[in-house]
Amino acid sequence: MFQDTLIAAFFAGIVAIVVTMLVEKYGGAIGGILGTIPTTIVPASIGMYLASNIVDFRTSMAVVPSGMLINAIFLTNWKIIPTYFKVTKSKYTTLIIIIIISLFIWLLCSILALNLINVVTKKGLSSYGIALLGLFAVVILGMVFCWNIGPTPSSNNNVNKYALMSRGLMAAFAIGAAVWISDLGYPLIAGLASVFPAIFLTSMVTLWISQGPSVPMGAVGPMMLGGSSVALYSIIAMWSLPYYGIIIGSILAWVSSVLLCSLPSFYYINWRQKNNIY
C-alpha cells in the first residue's frame, strides 16, 4: 500500500510541473484545457481502487465531480478579486489576499458538500446520481465563464525551477494523502482530497509571480471547463476499473473523458474567442 501511495504521488508531482509549463507556453485558453486533461486523477483512482473495496472506491469517485465544482468556485476568486485591487494594491498583496480567500472558501464549500452528500445518500440518491449532478454543474459554470472569455495571453517569462518544483511537491502530497486516506476507510474525504486544488493553486501562484495577473486570469474559464473531463473520468472509472481492471479501465476512462469533454471544451473556447470582440 505504501508503494502504491508513493507511485501515485510521484506521478502527480511530475504532471503538476508539466501543466504549468503548458499554460505558460500556449496561453490560458489552450494551456488551460491541456492542463486539465485527466492526469493526477489517474494515479489517484488506481491507488484508491487498490486500497479499498469496490463500494468505497465508487463512493470516492462519486465525490470527484463535486470536488471539481468546488475547484471551479475556487478559481472564480482568481478571476474576480484582482479587478478590485488594480490601483490600490500591489500584485503581491493581491496574490496573498486571493490565496487566503480562495482556500477559505474551498474549505467551507468542501464541508458543506460532504454534509450534503451524506444527506442525499441517506435519502437514496445513488453514487452515479451524485456524480452526474456534479458534472452537470461544472460544465454549466465553465461554459458561463468562457462565454465572454476575453484575451488569454501566453507568457513572456519562464516560471523559475523552484516554483515548478514546489508545485510538483504540493500536488504529490495531495494525491498521496488521498490514497492514504482511502486506505484508512474514509472514501468521501479521500475522493475530495484527490481533487484538492494543488495544481490550480500552484499554477495560479507561479504564473502570477512570473507573468503577472493577466496570464492566470485568462486561464480561469478554460481550467473550469476543462476540469469537467476529470469529473467525467471519475464517473466512467466507477464502472470501468471494477469491470476491466486498472490498466484497461483507466485507459477507457481517460480516452472517453478526453473525447467527450476535453475536445468539445477546446472547440467551444475557440468558438467563443472568435466571436468575442475585445
Side-chain angles (χ1 to χ4, degrees), residues 110-176:
S110 298
I111 294 172
L112 178 61
L114 289 175
N115 283 298
L116 286 175
I117 290 172
N118 274 322
V119 170
V120 297
T121 300
K122 291 178 181 178
K123 292 184 177 295
L125 185 63
S126 68
S127 297
Y128 285 103
I130 294 171
L132 288 171
L133 284 175
L135 173 62
F136 178 76
V138 170
V139 171
I140 294 300
L141 189 59
M143 292 179 69
V144 168
F145 267 79
C146 288
W147 185 257
N148 293 309
I149 189 171
T152 56
S154 58
S155 64
N156 298 315
N157 306 304
N158 292 323
V159 178
N160 70 70
K161 61 182 179 181
Y162 299 107
L164 287 174
M165 186 61 65
S166 64
R167 184 170 190 267
L169 290 174
M170 191 172 180
F173 176 79
I175 299 304

Side-chain angles (χ1 to χ4, degrees), residues 49-119:
Y49 178 74
L50 295 174
S52 59
N53 57 58
I54 293 178
V55 173
D56 284 349
F57 167 72
R58 285 177 171 161
T59 300
S60 296
M61 290 293 98
V63 180
V64 170
S66 297
M68 294 309 297
L69 175 60
I70 297 171
N71 287 346
I73 296 172
F74 169 89
L75 285 171
T76 61
N77 296 283
W78 295 85
K79 186 74 172 181
I80 296 173
I81 294 177
T83 62
Y84 292 95
F85 296 99
K86 285 182 177 178
V87 177
T88 59
K89 301 288 184 182
S90 72
K91 73 172 184 179
Y92 293 106
T93 303
T94 305
L95 176 61
I96 294 171
I97 292 172
I98 297 173
I99 291 173
I100 294 172
I101 293 176
S102 59
L103 286 176
F104 180 71
I105 290 176
W106 186 90
L107 179 60
L108 287 181
C109 290
S110 298
I111 294 172
L112 178 61
L114 289 175
N115 283 298
L116 286 175
I117 290 172
N118 274 322
V119 170

Side-chain angles (χ1 to χ4, degrees), residues 238-263:
M238 291 168 65
W239 160 79
S240 63
L241 265 67
Y243 276 93
Y244 294 102
I246 57 175
I247 297 178
I248 301 300
S250 297
I251 292 173
L252 179 60
W254 189 88
V255 171
S256 299
S257 60
V258 169
L259 291 178
L260 296 176
C261 277
S262 297
L263 285 180

Side-chain angles (χ1 to χ4, degrees), residues 29-52:
I30 298 176
I33 294 297
L34 291 176
T36 49
I37 287 175
T39 47
T40 56
I41 189 63
V42 177
S45 62
I46 293 174
M48 286 188 283
Y49 178 74
L50 295 174
S52 59

